[in-house]
Amino acid sequence: MDNFTFHNPTKVIFGKNVESEVGEEIKALGGHKVLVHFGGDYLQKNGTLDRVHKGLTDAGLEYIDLDGVVPNPRLSLVKKGIALAKKEGVDFILPIGGGSAIDSAKGIAYGLANDFELEDLLMGKVKTDKIAPIGCISTIAATGSETSNSMVITIEEYNGQKNLKRSYNHDCARPLFACMNPELTYTLPAYQTASGASDIMMHTMERYFTNTKNVDLIDRIAEGLLTAVRDATLKVIDTPNDYESRATLMWAGSISHNGLTGTGRQSDFASHKIEHELGGMFDVAHGAGLCAIWGSWARYVYRSNPARFAQFAVRVFNVSENFYNIEETALEGIKAWENWCKKIGMPINLHELGITPTDSQIEEMADKCIATGGGSVGFFQTLKKDDIIKIYNMSK
């Protein structure tokens, strides 16, 4: 097991109606004026926004709304939020939604606390440990941004390049609190539910596929999470108002990306970096993009450590172990993952995702992908440009 530091200070407030407590939480943290950040009109339709507004007002707090968040959140809206927050004297940021709203809010919070351009932070030119106070209300089980240290933002244009999806990770970006009410996820479309659940699985799998030895404790935690999400997703696709399954997914989303399942090991995250370029170029749903790419990544790299893939197959998808041919067991596990994707309506290749990238687009995505890792990505197997091009082509 590798040395590690695990720090997760987010206060989780979990259960029915917990979003009504947000005003008192912010007041206790010293907030006075709140920027409420969200996207779409579902919060207005289901009454969540009104309840949050009332909670803030009852606590004696002022607030101002900023709508407009979209999937794969844009830097232009982040900059609009920074300017608005400065103009209005905001001292606390409150996103309501999923990873897009929370990541966009993290960008605003970084901009409010620092005087550099956000492009420089996202492109690795500067670093910071300063951020304005942020809490959140989660309305989807997916990215785990409500307790994670990560932020992913799409830069629409940078030095002549279009739609660069880039990230910044620091523990200061973990929200001070996260209100998580599984009932708020009842009305999510099945596709969005499945895409979020797939992202939960992938956040765990990116850490699970490691070459670090003697990590059985975290393996077992990860396998428990994966099997619970596997089953809960199938239930909520058929029964959207199944509270216990929704609760499983919502809590699993946080655990999958708060760093716990990556302790003591070297994580991979090559699939995420490969998918980020799909999201940047084609604006696809993140979880669906991961499903479309993962099987091809897995078949490309599994020979680096077939025993790890075989363990995944047996422990997570109940594949019968072939003691005479470990590679066969590994490949059956990849098939089992893809069969699960199909059951929940997720794509397993780019054609099913609805995109057909050209050779030049694939080369452009591969160039952008390796640029995020200084020439290569991944640790389970190091991938360079030619490798990534082959994976994209395998996934057509």
Side-chain angles (χ1 to χ4, degrees):
M1 185 183 291
D2 294 340
N3 291 1
F4 66 89
T5 298
F6 178 67
H7 178 65
N8 196 319
T10 304
K11 177 181 180 180
V12 174
I13 308 164
F14 193 99
K16 299 177 181 179
N17 303 315
V18 294
E19 66 274 13
S20 63
E21 302 176 24
V22 69
E24 292 300 326
E25 286 295 324
I26 294 174
K27 183 178 180 180
L29 290 165
H32 297 91
K33 189 164 187 178
V34 181
L35 178 69
V36 183
H37 193 38
F38 55 93
D41 59 2
Y42 71 101
L43 296 173
Q44 295 92 325
K45 289 180 178 179
N46 64 20
T48 301
L49 190 60
D50 287 340
R51 291 195 300 276
V52 172
H53 285 165
K54 184 178 185 303
L56 294 173
T57 301
D58 288 350
L61 304 176
E62 296 181 69
Y63 66 84
I64 186 168
D65 291 342
L66 178 60
D67 198 351
V69 177
V70 295
N72 301 309
R74 308 302 199 266
L75 181 60
S76 58
L77 183 63
V78 171
K79 289 188 172 184
K80 180 179 178 180
I82 295 167
L84 179 63
K86 289 180 177 179
K87 177 184 175 183
E88 295 291 335
V90 165
D91 60 10
F92 202 97
I93 314 296
L94 178 68
I96 311 174
S100 295
I102 298 171
D103 282 8
S104 186
K106 288 178 179 181
I108 294 169
Y110 275 124
L112 197 56
N114 297 278
D115 60 4
F116 48 64
E117 294 294 327
L118 262 292
E119 289 95 333
D120 290 340
L121 183 68
L122 290 163
M123 296 303 293
K125 292 185 175 181
V126 298
K127 296 181 179 180
T128 187
D129 59 359
K130 296 178 181 179
I131 194 168
I134 178 173
C136 64
I137 299 172
S138 186
T139 64
I140 182 173
T143 67
S145 292
E146 64 273 3
T147 59
S148 82
N149 68 352
S150 65
M151 170 190 70
V152 182
I153 301 291
T154 297
I155 306 171
E156 291 99 323
E157 185 172 356
Y158 182 81
N159 289 344
Q161 297 187 81
K162 302 285 188 180
N163 298 321
L164 297 174
K165 195 170 180 180
R166 295 294 180 263
S167 63
Y168 183 73
N169 301 329
H170 194 282
D171 276 345
C172 72
R174 296 186 192 270
L176 299 176
F177 67 81
C179 292
M180 302 170 66
N181 177 1
E183 290 184 325
L184 297 182
T185 68
Y186 283 177
T187 58
L188 286 169
Y191 188 87
Q192 199 170 357
T193 295
S195 182
S198 302
D199 196 18
I200 295 170
M201 295 283 273
M202 284 298 306
H203 280 153
T204 310
M205 290 156 61
E206 294 277 28
R207 296 169 168 95
Y208 186 84
F209 285 96
T210 181
N211 293 314
T212 309
K213 299 182 182 300
N214 302 316
V215 288
D216 194 56
L217 169 63
I218 301 301
D219 277 356
R220 297 292 185 174
I221 291 173
E223 289 156 4
L225 189 153
L226 290 167
T227 54
V229 172
R230 177 200 67 193
D231 295 342
T233 307
L234 294 171
K235 288 182 181 178
V236 298
I237 295 299
D238 290 335
T239 312
N241 289 9
D242 184 323
Y243 180 85
E244 297 304 333
S245 295
R246 289 286 188 182
T248 292
L249 292 180
M250 182 162 264
W251 189 217
S254 288
I255 296 173
S256 72
H257 204 36
N258 69 5
L260 176 63
T261 57
T263 51
R265 65 182 62 209
Q266 187 175 48
S267 301
D268 188 73
F269 279 92
S271 296
H272 261 74
K273 290 183 178 294
I274 293 170
E275 193 287 327
H276 279 172
E277 301 312 324
L278 290 174
M281 182 173 288
F282 298 101
D283 203 26
V284 298
H286 178 53
L290 288 169
C291 290
I293 209 75
W294 188 81
S296 296
W297 170 85
R299 290 185 176 90
Y300 192 81
V301 306
Y302 81 94
R303 289 188 179 89
S304 294
N305 189 344
R308 171 109 327 223
F309 275 89
Q311 178 177 300
F312 171 78
V314 173
R315 294 186 183 180
V316 177
F317 282 103
N318 302 317
V319 171
S320 297
E321 187 168 6
N322 185 333
F323 295 98
Y324 302 102
N325 191 336
I326 195 170
E327 289 195 10
E328 181 178 302
T329 305
L331 290 170
E332 286 300 314
I334 298 169
K335 288 181 184 177
W337 156 264
E338 291 178 330
N339 287 336
W340 177 80
C341 290
K342 290 178 181 179
K343 288 179 181 178
I344 64 171
M346 286 288 98
I348 61 169
N349 54 54
L350 298 184
H351 174 74
E352 292 182 5
L353 185 62
I355 61 175
T356 308
T358 64
D359 289 344
S360 62
Q361 287 174 323
I362 287 175
E363 184 170 6
E364 179 183 342
M365 288 190 292
D367 280 328
K368 289 178 177 178
C369 183
I370 62 169
T372 67
S376 65
V377 297
F379 294 98
F380 188 84
Q381 178 177 317
T382 301
L383 302 174
K384 297 186 177 180
K385 178 180 176 178
D386 287 347
D387 300 307
I388 295 167
I389 287 174
K390 289 175 184 176
I391 291 170
Y392 280 131
N393 281 314
M394 285 172 64
S395 65
K396 283 185 175 180

